[in-house]
Amino acid sequence: MRILIVEDEKGLAEGLKAILEQETYSVDVVYDGLSGLDYILSNIYDMIILDIMLPKLNGLDVLKNARNEGVNTPVILLTARSQVSDKIKGLDNGADDYITKPFDTDELLARIRARTRSAASPAQDDLTFGDITMCRRRQELKNDSRSVKLGNKEFQLMECLMINNRQIMTKDALITKVWGPLDDSEYNNIEVYISFLRKKLRFIKASVKIVTTKNVGYSLEEGSDG
């Protein structure tokens, strides 16, 4: 699951990034409203944590523009303001939730889980398809006979494939989802990570396979040759 943090307090932003990455989320950080809007409009995120008081473009305007462009990603507003009127403005502009600084990290994590639950089918930590199950919290892939740990990129790729099982995910879509926008430094590495995942599926003796559709992308299928 990919989260965008738009927060101009760099210490807070980097601290949140570290905490969320420990929870196995993939996290991008930007420090001003215009950059935040550009990233949000890429529409690759599962959750956005958005400060209100931002340079270049305030958070409420970022949110309003994003909603006007049809972006429906859940948004948690993060701000030092505590007045009821600010909360009402944020919710009226399309925010899904609101948390006031200073805040408890466990509370923020709980709000993230609650707001992304419907998008992460099924609602539990585990994802299941065919004869395999992936435990998100342990980054572990398993079936009835064996289990294997996944590296971070392997985990993110498999999560995308499992959530969108039987659907062809284009190479570009997977790269954007896992490596993020503007990062093409590892463009060709996706084939390497797909190879790693196939080896791990064979190791746990899964019938599920990653199938290549030539010049298009990859899909997760039951009992097909890859």
Side-chain angles (χ1 to χ4, degrees):
M1 188 168 293
R2 196 170 198 94
I3 297 177
L4 175 67
I5 298 171
V6 189
E7 167 62 65
D8 64 323
E9 294 181 38
K10 292 190 176 181
L12 174 60
E14 294 301 324
L16 282 176
K17 183 177 188 289
I19 291 167
L20 292 173
E21 287 180 338
Q22 287 178 356
E23 297 293 317
T24 74
Y25 296 112
S26 180
V27 185
D28 294 323
V29 178
V30 291
Y31 305 106
D32 66 79
L34 284 178
S35 297
L37 182 59
D38 283 343
Y39 273 62
I40 290 168
L41 292 180
S42 71
N43 216 9
I44 67 167
Y45 295 99
D46 303 290
M47 165 62 63
I48 297 160
I49 299 173
L50 177 64
D51 190 23
I52 286 183
M53 299 297 292
L54 291 167
K56 298 185 181 179
L57 189 67
N58 73 67
L60 292 180
D61 287 337
V62 170
L63 179 59
K64 186 175 180 180
N65 280 304
R67 294 303 190 222
N68 287 341
E69 291 294 324
V71 176
N72 296 316
T73 308
V75 173
I76 297 176
L77 285 179
L78 188 64
T79 180
R81 296 179 175 180
S82 59
Q83 290 87 351
V84 173
S85 60
D86 294 319
K87 296 180 181 180
I88 292 171
K89 283 180 182 178
L91 295 171
D92 283 347
N93 277 279
D96 297 272
D97 207 344
Y98 194 109
I99 193 165
T100 304
K101 303 175 191 176
F103 55 87
D104 181 81
T105 301
D106 287 339
E107 180 185 359
L108 178 61
L109 291 172
R111 288 173 185 249
I112 290 171
R113 288 193 296 270
R115 294 299 170 182
T116 57
R117 196 166 285 142
S118 60
S121 179
Q124 306 94 333
D125 280 341
D126 292 352
L127 287 172
T128 299
F129 176 66
D131 63 344
I132 63 171
T133 296
M134 188 172 74
C135 178
R136 283 177 163 137
R137 295 192 66 84
R138 294 198 300 271
Q139 290 192 202
E140 182 180 80
L141 193 64
K142 61 184 180 180
N143 65 5
D144 290 337
S145 59
R146 292 186 177 185
S147 64
V148 64
K149 286 285 189 181
L150 299 177
N152 194 40
K153 297 301 183 189
E154 294 171 339
F155 169 77
Q156 292 170 47
L157 279 172
M158 182 56 77
E159 183 181 49
C160 290
L161 292 168
M162 290 189 76
I163 289 173
N164 299 281
N165 61 76
R166 297 192 182 94
Q167 301 178 46
I168 298 173
M169 298 288 291
T170 67
K171 191 173 182 179
D172 284 344
L174 287 169
I175 289 168
T176 301
K177 192 73 174 176
V178 175
W179 279 271
L182 309 179
D183 185 354
D184 60 0
S185 60
E186 298 181 89
Y187 187 86
N188 292 320
N189 283 0
I190 186 170
E191 294 174 5
V192 175
Y193 285 98
I194 291 291
S195 175
F196 290 162
L197 286 174
R198 284 175 169 152
K199 289 176 182 176
K200 291 187 175 182
L201 286 169
R202 287 196 294 270
F203 173 78
I204 63 172
K205 300 181 179 179
S207 64
V208 169
K209 298 186 184 298
I210 300 171
V211 175
T212 301
T213 300
K214 190 175 180 180
N215 299 324
V216 181
Y218 305 96
S219 60
L220 201 64
E221 306 285 349
E222 293 183 85
S224 299
D225 291 329

